[in-house]
Amino acid sequence: MARKKLIAGNWKMNGLMADGIDLAKGIAAEVKAMGKPACEFLVCPPFTLLAPVKKALRGAKVALGAQDAHFAEKGAHTGDISPLMLKDLGCTYVILGHSERRADHHESNELVNKKAAACHAAGLKTVICIGETLEQREAGKAVEVCREQILGSVPDAATAADTVIAYEPVWAIGTGKVPTAADVEEVHAACRKVLAKKLGKGNANKMRILYGGSVKPGNAKELLSLPDVDGALIGGASLKVADFIGIAKNAGCAE
Ligand code: 13P
């Protein structure tokens, strides 16, 4: 089952107007130069840059995504952004349940599930993040934690068309540490089994499971050629055009 790889940049809380626009323009130019890339591209800037980045990406096959959304359509939720507002700005994707939000904002599986269902109802695709802490990994619980997060965070009605899973071990994020290829494949294959039970084999076989956590041009080829790794969710390296595009090229996207 061929799954088109997704190369996604999570800019996190980085970028003022000028550098955000420059980064988007640089990525757009490189992706255009690839002609018909074998991968799908996505950038997820902070809310403040969504509109200018959308403009800067014009004409390039690079999708726009946000890093979070509220579950309500509108109303008294000071500081929050609704799925419809994101759709209105030209977003097609939303990252949900990133470990930084689970930690900083105490987001539960239940909340992530509710947000995902609201995003799907608004016509947005979701990238739902899961992943174990170092303590959980050392206790041999990585697969169990990811299983619980998938069962709790992914809506029962999710499909391969509206949902992408991102496996991001918390201890690998921003640390330069990466699990072994065998460990990555073990978790991804286990996640696909859980998805098959929850959503049916058809969806599980088509659903993309990204790896995230210290992905760089130097490790992209090994990680992204694993059988159950269908792309990458990239933090630090997505802030430099050469690194983001280097990852894509080393993953075979330009061939
Ligand atoms: P780094 O690529 O900086 O490790 O971040 C990964 C991540 O959290 C992407 O969502």
Side-chain angles (χ1 to χ4, degrees), residues 13-208:
M13 197 172 73
N14 293 293
L16 300 180
M17 200 56 73
D19 29 89
I21 292 171
D22 273 2
L23 178 56
K25 280 188 176 162
I27 291 169
E30 290 282 352
V31 173
K32 275 187 205 166
M34 285 182 199
K36 284 193 178 156
C39 305
E40 196 183 330
F41 288 88
L42 167 66
V43 292
C44 302
F47 290 129
T48 47
L49 291 177
L50 286 170
V53 164
K54 172 81 190 161
K55 206 171 151 197
L57 292 173
R58 203 170 8 205
K61 284 193 187 111
V62 182
L64 183 71
Q67 299 172 17
D68 182 42
H70 197 277
F71 55 79
E73 210 170 287
K74 59 179 179 178
H77 300 285
T78 302
D80 280 311
I81 308 284
S82 80
L84 272 184
M85 291 169 173
L86 297 174
K87 188 100 202 299
D88 194 38
L89 271 181
C91 289
T92 50
Y93 278 92
V94 184
I95 297 172
L96 292 174
H98 192 282
S99 63
E100 287 149 15
R101 293 206 62 85
R102 290 180 189 261
D104 296 353
H105 299 274
H106 312 290
E107 292 199 4
S108 62
N109 287 331
E110 196 182 13
L111 178 64
V112 175
N113 190 312
K114 211 167 161 184
K115 289 180 172 197
C119 287
H120 295 160
L124 291 164
K125 298 174 192 175
T126 54
V127 178
I128 300 178
C129 303
I130 57 167
E132 82 285 357
T133 62
L134 185 58
E135 203 184 357
Q136 290 165 332
R137 156 87 30 196
E138 285 175 346
K141 291 189 174 155
V143 165
E144 187 185 325
V145 168
C146 291
R147 181 177 172 276
E148 264 171 40
Q149 288 178 330
I150 287 178
L151 292 177
S153 306
V154 177
D156 289 341
T159 68
D162 63 26
T163 302
V164 174
I165 304 295
Y167 169 55
E168 301 203 303
V170 177
W171 53 274
I173 296 176
T175 58
K177 291 183 192 146
V178 178
T180 63
D183 285 346
V184 171
E185 177 56 23
E186 183 199 10
V187 176
H188 279 236
C191 289
R192 203 172 300 286
K193 276 197 184 148
V194 175
L195 290 167
K197 269 210 163 165
K198 185 178 168 78
L199 307 173
K201 265 197 164 172
N203 276 314
N205 286 338
K206 284 187 224 141
M207 191 170 285
R208 288 172 298 183

Side-chain angles (χ1 to χ4, degrees), residues 176 178 211 213-224 247 250:
V178 178
Y211 169 77
S214 297
V215 178
K216 309 279 178 226
N219 58 23
K221 188 172 179 191
E222 184 182 24
L223 292 167
L224 278 84
I247 289 168
N250 291 347

